[in-house]
Amino acid sequence: MSELIPITTPLREFKGHESYVKAVSVFPDQRRMVTASADKTLRLWDLKTGDVLKKMEGHSDWVRGLAVSRDGQLIASGDDKGVIIIWHGETGESLTQPIKVHSHYITSLNFPSDGTVLASGSFDKTTKLWNTKTWQEQADPIGCVTRVHCVRYSPSGELLAIATDCNIQIYNSGTREPVASFKGHSPASLNFSLTWTPDGTRLLTGGYKSDPTIREWDTSTWQQVGDPWQGHSKYINAITFNPAGTLVASASEDNHVRLWQFSDRRTIATFEHSSEAMCVTFSVGGKRILSGGEDRMISEWAVPNDINSKIPAITTAPIAYIDGDSSTTEPLTQNINSDTNKIMLSKLDNAPEAQIRDLREQYVYVHPSQAEHAIQKAIWNELEYAPLRLLNTSTGLLCDRTAQISTFKTSTEYKELLSSITKHSDLQTEHITDVVATYFRCVLLSHRWEETEALLHDIQDKVVYKLNKHGGIAKLQSFCNVARDVGYRWAWMDTCCIDKKSNTELQESVNSMFVWYRHSALTIVYLSDVLPSSDPGALARSVWNERGWTFQEFVAPKVVLFYQKDWSLYLGDRSFNHKESPAIMKELEDATGIDARALVTFRPGMSGPREKLQWASKRVTTVQEDVAYSLFGIFGITLPVIYGEKKQNALGRLLQEIVARSGDISVLDWIGQPSEFNSCLPAHITSYTTPPRTLPSLSDDDIHTEVSSLQQTVPGAVALKFYETLEDLRAPRFANCRLHLPCISFRVTEIRRRRGITYRIKADGLRDLLVTTAETLVQFSRAKPIQQTFLLIRPWDRYLLGVPDFADQPDLPDDTESIGDSSELESPIDDSETDDSDASPGGSPVEEEPGSRGLQLMVRLAQPFDAFLLAQQRVGEYKRIASDHNIVAQVKDISSVGNVDIGTVEIL
C-alpha cells in the first residue's frame, strides 16, 4: 500500500459566499466554475483569475441542487423551498422566473448528456423530469417512497440512478421503466451520493453515518464489486470521477476530501478542510480538485504529479469469455487487446479447415452487455434529432419512441449487429453508428394542409394501409407507400404524428421542427395543385410556396424530392436530390425571390436576420401565431409556444429574442404599423417585404481625405475619447417588452405640419427634414415650446467602429498539427517580394496616430443615416413614431459630431 499523502494547504481559495458552499460545478470551457450556497445565491467564477464574474440572486432559501448542461449553456439550481431557477451558462442571467416544482428540499439536479431533460430529486420523495425547451414536466413524477438524496444520469443518458433513504433505484430514462432496485448501503445507513464511471460500466455510491463507505456496483448485473471502500469516518456528501476514469474524489462530513485510485480502491491522498466538506469536483483536465463546504469557500487542490505517473492505464473493456453464460463462467485472464490473443484469433479466422474456423465462434471479444450498451447509445444519438412518433412504412402502424426501439431490437439487423460486435476486439463504433443510422432513416412530408387531413386519433393503434381511402387518409397512404418504395422504414407527417392535445409535446414539436427536417434522410414535397401534365413553372406557381411552415421545410433538409398531385415526380426528374436540379431551383428562386444558392446552403442562426425576415414576409399561415412560430427554427431559437396569444405578441417575442441574442439592429428597419408589443417592432411581418435600405458610403480614399481635413479642427484626444465612449456602449436588449436601445440622439426643436400627414422637423445638429406619418404630431417651435420631448435618434451600430465581427467569421478546421509542417505546403518566402509598405524603416509596423480611429468614425457618422423619431411618454420613456417612408437624416457640420448626446433610451 502506497503512503498516504496529507495535504492541508490548498493552491487557492475562492472566497465570497456568506454561508456553506453546498455544490460546485466546472464548465466544459475550463474557464469558469459555478457554486451554490446556503446564503441563497450562486456565484459564477473565473478560474484563471479567481474573480467572481456574477453573483446570481433569485432564491429565497438554501441552494442545494446545482447542475450545468454538458454544453455549458444552461445552469439549473434548486433550493430548500422546492424552487428551481434556470440561468444562462455564459452570462449568469436568469432565463426563467423561480419555478415551484417540489414541496420540500431540492437535494439534487442533473442533466443527461444531450441536455434535453433536467432531473430533480427532492425530500418530497419524488424525482421529476423537466423538458429543457419548454420547462414543462415530462409525464408523472417518479415516486421514490422515501427521501431522494442524489440523482445522476449515466454517461450515455440511457439510465437514471436515484439514491434514496432506503435503496438505489435505476430507471430507463427513455421509457421511465424501472431497471433495478437494490439496498445499497447497510440498513441503518442512507444512500447519500452517486457517480458513474465515464464509460458507464460501474456505479459508485456513498453512505451515511453508520456506513460511511463507497460501494462499487457492476451496471450489467447490479451486483456489488469487491469490498466497500473504507477511509471516511462520517457520511459521504459527494463523489466524483476524474475525466480519465482513473481517480475518484469524495467529500465527507469528516472534514476531508479523499483521493482514491479506482483500479485498486486505495486512498492515495487526503485534502483537509477546517470543517465539513460538502461538495467536490475535478477540473476538466483532471489535474485539480475543487471542494467546498462549511468553511464558506472553494479550495483548489493539486492532484500530486507522482500519483498520475504511478497510475496504470485502466481498461474497462470486458475480458474475453469462453463460449457459455458469461455470468457463470470464469473469464480468461489475458487482456482482450493483447497481441497474443489477437494473433490467435486471427489464425482461427483464417484457418483452412472449417472445424478450426468454427472454434473462433467460441471466443467473444466484447461482452454482449457492453455491445448492447454501445448500440443503445447509438440509438439515442440517432433518435435525438428525430420526431417523437414515426410511421412504420412496413406495418402501417404509428410508433412512439419505445416502439421504434423495440422494433429494431427484434429485427434481423439488430441480431446480426450484436453478433458481429462480440466477435471483434473493439466496439466498432463506426459500424454501429452506420447500422443504426441506416435502420432509423426517416422521410418527412412537406405539404399544404387541406380541408380534411388525417389526424392522430384517426390512425392511433390502426394500420394505415387498411383505412378507408378518403381525404387526408389517401394522402397519408400514398406518402407511406412512396417512402417505403424508395427504401425507408420510417415516415412522418405533421397532421397525424403530433399529439396536439399535449401542450408539452406540441411545444417540443414546434421548437424541434427545423431540426427534424434538417436530419431527415429525405423530405418529400407534395404539390397537390400541380397536375401531372403541368409544364415547367407549375412549381413556382404552387400555393406551397406561399405557406409559412413550408419555408423551413424546404431550406432545412439536405435532400428533397417534389411530387405532383398523382404522386409522380415533378417534371419526371428522377435525380437523387431535386435541390441539385438547376431547372427546379431556378423555379424556386423566381417564386421566392431568394437566391438559389442561399436556398441550398441555408444555415439557421442569427446571421443576416433582416434578410431572413424579408424572405418570410410574404408567406401566410392559417393560425396567426404560426407566422412567428414557423420561424423559430430559421433563427435557431427556442421559445414557449402559446397559441391564443395573438400574432403581434408572438412576432414581438420572436423579434425581441433576435435583437437580444444577435444585437443586430437591422430588425428595427421596417415600414408600416407599429406593434402593440413594442413600438420599435412592426405589427405585421409584411413590414419587412421591402429590402433593407442601403445608404451610399464613402470610399477609403474619401474617408482619408475627410480625416485629413478634420484633423485641423478636432484634437486627436477628443476624437479618441468620442470613439471610446461609443465603443463602451452595450448591445441593445429587451426587458419586459421594453427596448433599451443605445443610440446617438438629437433633440427636436420644431415640428410643423406642411400638408396632409407630412411634417417639417428641425433638430439640434441635424439638417431639416420631412417626415410622413399617419400619427398626429403636436406642433411646436423654440418660440412656442411644449413640455413633451421629441428626439431623432441614430441607433448605434457597432459595425461603424470598423472592427471585424469575429462571431460572423466561418468556423475553420483545426490546423494545429499542420502549423509545424507549413514548409511542405507553401513555397519559401522571398524577402524581396515582401510588402513593407506598412512598416517603418526599423521594420516595425506603423501605428495609427492617437485619435485616428475616432476621426474615421466621425466621418462615417457624418454621412446620411436612417433615423427614428421618438416621442416622450413618461419621464425617461419613449415611443417610436412610425413613418410611411424611411427617415433619412444627416448632421449639419462634421466637426460637431463629437458633441452629440450618446446614451441608451428606453422605448415602449
Side-chain angles (χ1 to χ4, degrees):
M1 182 174 179
S2 60
E3 293 184 11
L4 200 62
I5 306 173
I7 300 174
T8 58
T9 304
L11 294 176
R12 280 192 299 174
E13 295 175 342
F14 295 79
K15 296 182 178 180
H17 279 297
E18 298 167 10
S19 188
Y20 309 156
V21 180
K22 302 292 293 183
V24 59
S25 186
V26 175
F27 284 80
D29 62 10
Q30 306 184 49
R31 297 184 293 107
R32 295 169 301 128
M33 167 182 70
V34 63
T35 52
S37 170
D39 66 10
K40 308 176 186 179
T41 71
L42 288 80
R43 279 172 168 76
L44 195 61
W45 304 81
D46 185 317
L47 282 173
K48 183 177 181 180
T49 65
D51 295 333
V52 175
L53 300 175
K54 177 81 174 177
K55 181 180 180 182
M56 300 154 65
E57 299 177 293
H59 286 285
S60 59
D61 211 329
W62 286 24
V63 187
R64 298 176 189 267
L66 177 67
V68 175
S69 61
R70 299 290 176 89
D71 60 5
Q73 293 301 301
L74 295 176
I75 302 169
S77 56
D79 65 27
D80 280 5
K81 288 188 176 178
V83 168
I84 283 179
I85 301 178
I86 309 303
W87 315 80
H88 193 289
E90 290 290 336
T91 65
E93 298 289 340
S94 60
L95 297 176
T96 68
Q97 295 296 318
I99 309 169
K100 177 75 171 179
V101 298
H102 285 282
S103 60
H104 212 309
Y105 299 169
I106 294 174
T107 53
S108 185
L109 298 170
N110 197 230
F111 289 100
S113 56
D114 61 8
T116 58
V117 179
L118 174 70
S120 61
S122 169
F123 270 21
D124 66 8
K125 305 177 184 179
T126 67
T127 295
K128 298 183 179 182
L129 306 182
W130 307 91
N131 184 300
T132 57
K133 292 181 180 178
T134 63
W135 297 113
Q136 300 293 316
E137 186 177 359
Q138 291 191 337
D140 296 327
I142 298 173
C144 299
V145 183
T146 56
R147 297 178 303 177
V148 176
H149 294 280
C150 189
V151 294
R152 291 290 182 267
Y153 280 99
S154 63
S156 67
E158 179 187 356
L159 300 176
L160 175 64
I162 304 173
T164 74
D165 281 351
C166 63
N167 61 10
I168 305 293
Q169 301 174 19
I170 310 296
Y171 286 85
N172 182 303
S173 60
T175 65
R176 297 167 61 92
E177 294 295 322
V179 174
S181 177
F182 49 95
K183 189 64 183 175
H185 292 261
S186 63
S189 177
L190 309 179
N191 301 288
F192 223 58
S193 47
L194 297 167
T195 191
W196 298 79
T197 55
D199 63 1
T201 59
R202 295 287 189 271
L203 178 70
L204 302 188
T205 60
Y208 197 57
K209 294 181 179 179
S210 63
D211 185 12
T213 63
I214 295 175
R215 295 178 184 250
E216 181 181 346
W217 308 89
D218 185 328
T219 59
S220 63
T221 63
W222 300 112
Q223 297 299 308
Q224 184 172 325
V225 178
D227 296 325
W229 303 14
Q230 296 184 349
H232 284 298
S233 59
K234 295 184 179 181
Y235 61 80
I236 300 171
N237 283 306
I239 321 172
T240 185
F241 265 97
N242 71 337
T246 56
L247 299 175
V248 177
S250 55
S252 171
E253 190 195 18
D254 65 11
N255 301 359
H256 288 86
V257 170
R258 281 183 174 265
L259 183 63
W260 311 76
Q261 185 165 286
F262 180 55
S263 60
D264 56 13
R265 308 174 185 87
R266 290 185 298 113
T267 299
I268 50 180
T270 59
F271 307 95
E272 186 173 345
H273 282 257
S274 60
S275 51
E276 180 180 347
M278 295 177 167
C279 56
V280 65
T281 190
F282 281 93
S283 63
V284 175
K287 295 183 178 180
R288 296 286 188 270
I289 292 174
L290 298 148
S291 58
E294 283 190 351
D295 55 10
R296 304 185 179 189
M297 64 184 178
I298 291 292
S299 297
E300 181 180 19
W301 315 88
V303 175
N305 291 327
D306 59 333
I307 288 177
N308 288 316
S309 64
K310 292 176 183 177
I311 297 175
I314 306 299
T315 176
T316 55
I319 299 171
Y321 282 86
I322 298 294
D323 186 34
D325 183 357
S326 61
S327 65
T328 59
T329 54
E330 193 70 23
L332 296 174
T333 56
Q334 65 263 36
N335 187 307
I336 62 168
N337 292 314
S338 68
D339 291 338
T340 303
N341 209 24
K342 289 181 178 180
I343 294 170
M344 178 192 74
L345 292 173
S346 175
K347 289 182 176 180
L348 291 176
D349 282 331
N350 300 310
E353 299 86 354
Q355 289 180 323
I356 299 298
R357 290 198 303 273
D358 289 343
L359 291 174
R360 173 61 174 86
E361 301 301 320
Q362 298 179 14
Y363 293 87
V364 180
Y365 256 160
V366 176
H367 191 277
S369 64
Q370 189 181 12
E372 290 171 355
H373 177 80
I375 295 172
Q376 184 65 56
K377 181 177 180 180
I379 291 172
W380 283 113
N381 287 340
E382 184 63 28
L383 295 181
E384 179 182 1
Y385 303 113
L388 305 176
R389 290 184 176 85
L390 293 172
L391 284 155
N392 188 321
T393 61
S394 299
T395 64
L397 291 171
L398 183 65
C399 300
D400 60 15
R401 189 61 50 82
T402 302
Q404 295 162 37
I405 296 172
S406 177
T407 301
F408 176 52
K409 289 189 173 180
T410 58
S411 69
T412 302
E413 289 91 339
Y414 179 82
K415 294 173 183 176
E416 291 178 349
L417 177 61
L418 189 60
S419 175
S420 171
I421 297 170
T422 56
K423 292 179 175 61
H424 288 82
S425 59
D426 56 52
L427 277 172
Q428 294 186 297
T429 306
E430 289 187 14
H431 179 54
I432 294 173
T433 301
D434 290 344
V435 172
V436 170
T438 300
Y439 186 89
F440 285 103
R441 292 180 309 166
C442 65
V443 180
L444 273 62
L445 181 68
S446 174
H447 65 121
R448 178 200 175 188
W449 280 43
E450 299 176 77
E451 192 169 333
T452 58
E453 292 287 351
L455 303 177
L456 178 64
H457 66 81
D458 295 325
I459 68 168
Q460 190 95 50
D461 301 321
K462 300 172 186 176
V463 177
V464 167
Y465 299 125
K466 294 182 179 180
L467 299 176
N468 292 330
K469 295 185 177 182
H470 62 82
I473 294 294
K475 181 199 292 188
L476 175 61
Q477 290 171 336
S478 298
F479 167 56
C480 289
N481 279 322
V482 169
R484 181 186 59 197
D485 292 346
V486 292
Y488 296 94
R489 182 177 282 99
W490 304 102
W492 183 86
M493 183 174 176
D494 54 357
T495 63
C496 58
C497 294
I498 300 174
D499 183 0
K500 299 175 180 65
K501 293 181 180 179
S502 168
N503 183 57
T504 299
E505 185 172 334
L506 186 61
Q507 293 264 351
E508 182 171 356
S509 298
V510 169
N511 279 294
S512 302
M513 201 80 71
F514 185 95
V515 174
W516 291 349
Y517 277 93
R518 189 67 153 189
H519 288 84
S520 66
L522 167 67
T523 291
I524 287 177
V525 178
Y526 179 59
L527 308 170
S528 59
D529 55 351
V530 175
L531 301 177
S533 58
S534 298
D535 296 326
L539 168 58
R541 296 188 296 272
S542 173
V543 72
W544 176 84
N545 282 302
E546 302 171 4
R547 307 303 298 174
W549 284 104
T550 58
F551 177 36
Q552 72 167 0
E553 291 168 7
F554 178 73
V555 297
K558 298 171 184 176
V559 181
V560 173
L561 292 176
F562 289 92
Y563 284 80
Q564 303 170 130
K565 185 177 180 64
D566 67 346
W567 289 93
S568 61
L569 287 162
Y570 180 60
L571 300 181
D573 187 331
R574 297 188 173 278
S575 61
F576 168 73
N577 184 5
H578 285 173
K579 275 195 168 185
E580 297 176 356
S581 166
I584 291 177
M585 291 309 300
K586 182 64 170 66
E587 279 196 52
L588 289 171
E589 182 177 87
D590 294 342
T592 62
I594 306 172
D595 179 73
R597 182 173 180 80
L599 287 171
V600 172
T601 62
F602 181 86
R603 294 179 63 184
M606 292 297 168
S607 62
R610 180 58 174 81
E611 183 179 39
K612 290 173 181 173
L613 290 167
Q614 183 194 344
W615 292 345
S617 62
K618 295 181 180 179
R619 293 179 175 262
V620 295
T621 58
T622 302
V623 180
Q624 58 176 312
E625 293 90 349
D626 282 344
V627 166
Y629 299 166
S630 63
L631 297 177
F632 285 2
I634 295 295
F635 291 99
I637 62 177
T638 298
L639 291 173
V641 175
I642 315 169
Y643 282 110
E645 67 174 323
K646 304 305 180 186
K647 177 174 59 178
Q648 290 195 29
N649 201 69
L651 182 60
R653 288 195 299 117
L654 170 67
L655 298 175
Q656 168 184 272
E657 187 73 4
I658 294 171
V659 172
R661 289 182 56 176
S662 70
D664 193 322
I665 61 170
S666 65
V667 172
L668 309 180
D669 178 5
W670 51 270
I671 299 295
Q673 178 185 346
S675 172
E676 296 174 0
F677 184 88
N678 184 278
S679 63
C680 253
L681 302 176
H684 310 288
I685 199 168
T686 52
S687 294
Y688 292 111
T689 303
T690 304
R693 180 183 178 88
T694 303
L695 294 168
S697 58
L698 294 177
S699 66
D700 290 342
D701 289 341
D702 291 337
I703 292 177
H704 181 72
T705 301
E706 292 286 352
V707 167
S708 298
S709 174
L710 200 57
Q711 284 176 328
Q712 309 303 315
T713 56
V714 179
V718 172
L720 180 60
K721 184 177 180 181
F722 175 68
Y723 181 96
E724 291 173 343
T725 300
L726 284 168
E727 187 180 33
D728 289 340
L729 283 179
R730 296 183 62 183
R733 62 185 179 89
F734 273 92
N736 299 319
C737 301
R738 295 165 179 254
L739 173 61
H740 299 263
L741 184 66
C743 63
I744 301 171
S745 60
F746 305 86
R747 189 182 183 93
V748 174
T749 59
E750 182 175 310
I751 296 180
R752 295 284 188 187
R753 186 192 296 272
R754 285 284 299 272
R755 57 184 179 279
I757 57 174
T758 300
Y759 295 85
R760 181 184 184 87
I761 295 181
K762 294 185 178 183
D764 286 336
L766 294 179
R767 297 178 183 179
D768 296 353
L769 48 84
L770 299 177
V771 173
T772 303
T773 177
E775 296 195 37
T776 302
L777 302 182
V778 179
Q779 300 184 68
F780 68 94
S781 64
R782 290 186 188 274
K784 296 182 178 181
I786 59 174
Q787 288 189 325
Q788 186 179 20
T789 299
F790 286 80
L791 298 175
L792 279 165
I793 68 165
R794 176 173 193 155
W796 173 237
D797 189 339
R798 296 183 64 84
Y799 288 104
L800 291 168
L801 292 172
V803 177
D805 188 346
F806 299 105
D808 285 345
Q809 295 188 11
D811 294 333
L812 298 176
D814 185 1
D815 288 329
T816 305
E817 295 182 1
S818 64
I819 292 174
D821 300 324
S822 59
S823 60
E824 299 178 12
L825 303 176
E826 300 178 3
S827 301
I829 297 176
D830 184 349
D831 290 342
S832 64
E833 297 177 3
T834 303
D835 183 3
D836 291 329
S837 57
D838 292 331
S840 65
S844 302
V846 176
E847 296 183 2
E848 286 185 333
E849 293 183 17
S852 175
R853 290 179 298 169
L855 293 171
Q856 292 177 30
L857 178 58
M858 293 173 69
V859 170
R860 295 189 190 99
L861 293 175
Q863 307 312 303
F865 63 92
D866 285 326
F868 296 170
L869 177 60
L870 304 183
Q872 183 185 18
Q873 304 301 294
R874 292 182 288 271
V875 176
E877 298 175 348
Y878 292 85
K879 182 185 81 170
R880 179 177 174 181
I881 304 298
S883 174
D884 292 347
H885 300 86
N886 288 92
I887 302 174
V888 180
Q890 187 173 12
V891 297
K892 288 180 181 178
D893 180 7
I894 188 172
S895 61
S896 67
V897 170
N899 298 320
V900 296
D901 291 330
I902 299 171
T904 297
V905 295
E906 184 175 333
I907 304 175
L908 304 177

